[in-house]
Amino acid sequence: MEGSMNTRTDTDFTPVDQELYEKAFQLLDPTTEPAAPAASAAPAAPVNRPAAAPVRPTGPVEKTLTDALAFLDTYGWTKYTLIHPAGARCSIGALRAAAGARNAAYCDAGNLLLDEARRQHGTQWKSVPSWNDSHTGAQVRSVWEAAIQRAHHMNI
């Protein structure tokens, strides 16, 4: 369904029997002390709470980029080789480790990373490895962080 989302803010809830409600929770969690019964039998005034913002799941591209950057943070970043003998990886090596396979998320994450590298460092870069090998760790990290933010904002 395209267009606007219709969200109801009014409810047609039946008033809750407070004692029954408390008993149900006590049965679910017997370590909880039973609450004292309410002094009056009058129903409590309804509480209007703002609806919580829905939690958006992380998209596969954002997850791949985030996991790859975490990999670089854990094992180290390197130039001129996919995997350094000590475990550090270049940007492509980290993407491969995070994605687990050359799947769609891997390809899209690599394309987004290269696009961000071109935004920050010029359009002459033809590949992630050539860009990775020509920059400092701080410059590479800046591109990774910006690519993650873009993936997040694009919801991919």
Side-chain angles (χ1 to χ4, degrees):
M1 182 190 275
E2 290 187 40
S4 65
M5 182 189 313
N6 294 326
T7 304
R8 284 183 47 185
T9 56
D10 60 322
T11 62
D12 296 320
F13 295 136
T14 304
V16 173
D17 178 335
Q18 193 61 36
E19 288 180 35
L20 181 62
Y21 183 76
E22 290 169 4
K23 181 66 176 168
F25 275 98
Q26 184 181 9
L27 290 172
L28 291 172
D29 185 8
T31 61
T32 305
E33 291 292 320
S40 73
V47 177
N48 289 331
R49 293 189 176 120
V55 176
R56 179 183 55 80
T58 302
V61 174
E62 180 184 355
K63 181 177 181 349
T64 300
L65 289 166
T66 301
D67 290 352
L69 184 56
F71 189 94
L72 292 174
D73 288 342
T74 301
Y75 297 101
W77 168 78
T78 190
K79 293 181 177 187
Y80 311 117
T81 185
L82 192 65
I83 306 170
H84 187 274
R89 293 189 180 221
C90 70
S91 292
I92 286 292
L95 275 175
R96 287 183 185 171
R102 292 184 186 186
N103 54 29
Y106 165 82
C107 294
D108 292 344
N111 287 333
L112 187 61
L113 190 65
L114 182 58
D115 186 61
E116 187 57 38
R118 289 173 175 158
R119 280 184 177 203
Q120 291 188 30
H121 300 280
T123 59
Q124 72 274 21
W125 304 108
K126 303 294 181 215
S127 68
V128 170
S130 64
W131 159 77
N132 180 88
D133 294 348
S134 301
H135 291 85
T136 67
Q139 290 170 320
V140 169
R141 181 171 192 85
S142 173
V143 168
W144 275 94
E145 290 172 349
I148 290 168
Q149 286 302 311
R150 283 179 61 197
H152 178 79
H153 291 299
M154 295 168 69
N155 198 22
I156 58 172

